[in-house]
Amino acid sequence: MTTIAAGTSLDFTLVQQLTVIALCALTAYISHMALAVFNDGVRPFMLDFIQGRSTRSATTAVSFGLSAGFIFGLGAPMALSTGVLNPWLVFLPTDILGILAPKRWLAPILGGAWGAVIVFGLNGANNVAHDLPVDFLTAMQQMSTPILFLFALFPVLAITKQFGRMWGGISGALELALVVATMKLWPNMFAGALAMAVGVLMLIGLAIAKDLRQRKADRAEGITEIVLDDDPMASLFSSSAARLRRYLPLFMVLGAGVCVLAQMHIFGGGEATSFLIAKGQYAEAAQVDFYRVFGFIPLIATTALASGAYGIAGFTLVYPIGYLMPNPFVAAIVGALVFAAEILALSSIGKVLGKLPTVRDSSEHLRSAIGDTLQLAILFGSLMAANAMGGGLGILIVGGLYLLNDAMGRPVVRMAAAPAAVIVGGIVLNLLYWLDLFTPIKG
């Protein structure tokens, strides 16, 4: 079983506490100004808000509705079980608080207050949970093995969905061979790292080759691109990019802050990354988050150009870069430069993506595959946690809550439902213990 060597302590140093509070204040301020939000689902709604067709309260309701399940069902449980902060816990609440704030000066105060809740409140909750007769937080560390290993399969799923069974079978066999070879030859290396690298490169290579063949065929048939000077989408993209460039210094400060947070190794950009950071495997964590970037660049670029609101973490390149930086000062400089390059390149990226439809589709398949693998891994890991803390009764409660959530129309999003069920199940098992109706499993 994969163990978390770093433990699950959420006891931050003063510098780390101030960094989290300041970054939460900044992200809430930026969200209030409708310059950036973290939730990709909220970003398309920002154009109506920016142009005055939607009220602040209505936009806040949308943000809360799309984010609450991830905050309480995924962000908080992952942070408590790994001892590492994550973007769902840090940035989704500041999306909501920033949009909610009626005055500009109030937004950073609310954001900073949330940051204080994170750095001062989580450790207390963590200590209380570990002192309970049924320690469900330690049990949740069982989630690490299925998340880390099943996540490695996302390139195989993406290739299969986009390029068919043959290429899917080839990539699957290749990834399996690479995982086995890595475990045998490099036991201290994350087993899925090399396999994911090869899988993502295969997907990109297949997509680019298909686009190049299509462009060659189009030229042979005399088909040329028609560019309309009065294209309304082109005009919208141009004005959105110009709006974001006007606030370039503010975005550079944001990039510096996110990169510094990642450099401190108290923050992981994803589910698998959180467990790798907790184990001290920073290079492997950087590799995992780097591959995720390919699935999100087209989405973030196009929604930013269409809405005029960027991503709080940009293209998320600052995550893997931050993990590898030697100190916070270098991380701040590099993070600022990365965000500057991203903002300045937005228009060009949009034009390139328009000419590579297969590559653009690959990002959709990558995101879908990441969701599918993590959904299965989190569910399986949650049932393993349920078994560790309560045996068959634990599985009954956690699995039952998950199924009940589905039957009720998923008030909690599916990916967050299982970890949330583990926490609720842990509380129920403790209540049963205090009623002398359940004996905790030892060991």
Side-chain angles (χ1 to χ4, degrees):
M1 190 191 82
T2 304
T3 57
I4 298 178
T8 57
S9 173
L10 284 159
D11 189 13
F12 304 110
T13 66
L14 178 61
V15 173
Q16 291 169 343
Q17 291 172 344
L18 293 176
T19 299
V20 172
I21 292 171
L23 186 57
C24 285
L26 175 63
T27 52
Y29 178 75
I30 289 174
S31 171
H32 174 86
M33 296 179 67
L35 289 173
V37 289
F38 180 78
N39 194 320
D40 295 320
V42 174
R43 200 171 301 114
F45 293 92
M46 297 305 289
L47 181 62
D48 285 342
F49 177 61
I50 291 168
Q51 296 183 348
R53 295 192 298 269
S54 178
T55 63
R56 186 170 292 279
S57 59
T59 309
T60 301
V62 169
S63 182
F64 181 82
L66 293 174
S67 302
F70 286 102
I71 296 169
F72 301 109
L74 188 61
M78 287 295 293
L80 289 169
S81 61
T82 63
V84 176
L85 301 178
N86 57 69
W88 306 286
L89 185 65
V90 177
F91 298 139
L92 286 181
T94 58
D95 279 1
I96 300 168
L97 294 170
I99 299 171
L100 172 68
K103 301 293 184 181
R104 184 176 295 187
W105 58 265
L106 184 58
I109 295 176
L110 293 177
W114 175 253
V117 169
I118 293 174
V119 296
F120 296 118
L122 277 181
N123 196 45
N126 183 64
N127 292 336
V128 169
H130 282 305
D131 289 337
L132 292 173
V134 180
D135 184 358
F136 53 86
L137 293 186
T138 298
M140 287 183 75
Q141 293 180 19
Q142 298 278 341
M143 296 171 63
S144 64
T145 300
I147 286 177
L148 289 174
F149 279 86
L150 287 175
F151 183 75
L153 290 174
F154 78 85
V156 176
L157 295 188
I159 290 171
T160 305
K161 289 179 179 180
Q162 188 169 14
F163 297 104
R165 298 175 184 175
M166 185 188 76
W167 281 112
I170 293 171
S171 62
L174 183 58
E175 280 212 9
L176 177 60
L178 290 170
V179 169
V180 172
T182 302
M183 294 177 73
K184 183 68 175 178
L185 301 174
W186 306 287
N188 293 326
M189 178 180 174
F190 169 46
L194 185 58
M196 279 191 291
V198 172
V200 171
L201 288 174
M202 276 187 67
L203 177 65
I204 295 172
L206 289 168
I208 291 175
K210 183 176 179 179
D211 277 334
L212 292 177
R213 287 196 302 271
Q214 185 61 49
R215 295 188 71 179
K216 184 178 180 180
D218 290 344
R219 284 196 297 270
E221 295 176 9
I223 300 174
T224 58
E225 281 189 67
I226 300 174
V227 181
L228 299 178
D229 292 333
D230 58 349
D231 182 358
M233 286 305 294
S235 176
L236 175 62
F237 279 19
S238 177
S239 62
S240 294
R243 176 178 188 264
L244 295 175
R245 284 196 298 270
R246 285 200 300 271
Y247 292 93
L248 184 61
L250 187 58
F251 279 113
M252 292 177 71
V253 174
L254 175 62
V258 176
C259 200
V260 167
L261 184 65
Q263 190 280 331
M264 290 178 168
H265 301 147
I266 60 170
F267 175 91
E271 301 88 345
T273 316
S274 293
F275 285 107
L276 288 170
I277 292 291
K279 293 165 59 184
Q281 296 181 323
Y282 308 130
E284 287 86 348
Q287 192 174 353
V288 169
D289 271 356
F290 179 72
Y291 300 143
R292 290 174 69 113
V293 169
F294 293 104
F296 288 89
I297 284 180
L299 172 69
I300 294 169
T302 52
T303 55
L305 289 169
S307 68
Y310 197 44
I312 284 293
F315 294 146
T316 69
L317 271 170
V318 286
Y319 293 164
I321 290 172
Y323 303 148
L324 301 176
M325 289 293 101
N327 60 66
F329 303 104
V330 176
I333 295 170
V334 174
L337 293 175
V338 168
F339 254 53
E342 290 180 8
I343 295 294
L344 295 173
L346 262 181
S347 293
S348 299
I349 292 171
K351 292 175 183 176
V352 170
L353 290 173
K355 297 176 181 178
L356 297 172
T358 308
V359 174
R360 192 170 62 245
D361 290 344
S362 292
S363 74
E364 298 285 345
H365 288 293
L366 270 178
R367 289 199 313 278
S368 173
I370 288 172
D372 289 344
T373 53
L374 286 175
Q375 187 171 297
L376 175 62
I378 290 172
L379 174 59
F380 186 64
S382 296
L383 291 175
M384 289 174 63
N387 182 64
M389 69 184 183
L393 180 60
I395 292 175
L396 172 68
I397 295 172
V398 172
L401 288 171
Y402 180 85
L403 293 172
L404 182 62
N405 181 71
D406 253 17
M408 294 171 63
R410 297 177 197 157
V412 179
V413 289
R414 180 174 275 178
M415 190 176 291
V422 174
I423 290 182
V424 175
I427 294 172
V428 170
L429 289 174
N430 277 292
L431 290 174
L432 291 175
Y433 167 79
W434 287 321
L435 292 173
D436 201 22
L437 297 174
F438 171 72
T439 301
I441 294 176
K442 302 297 181 183

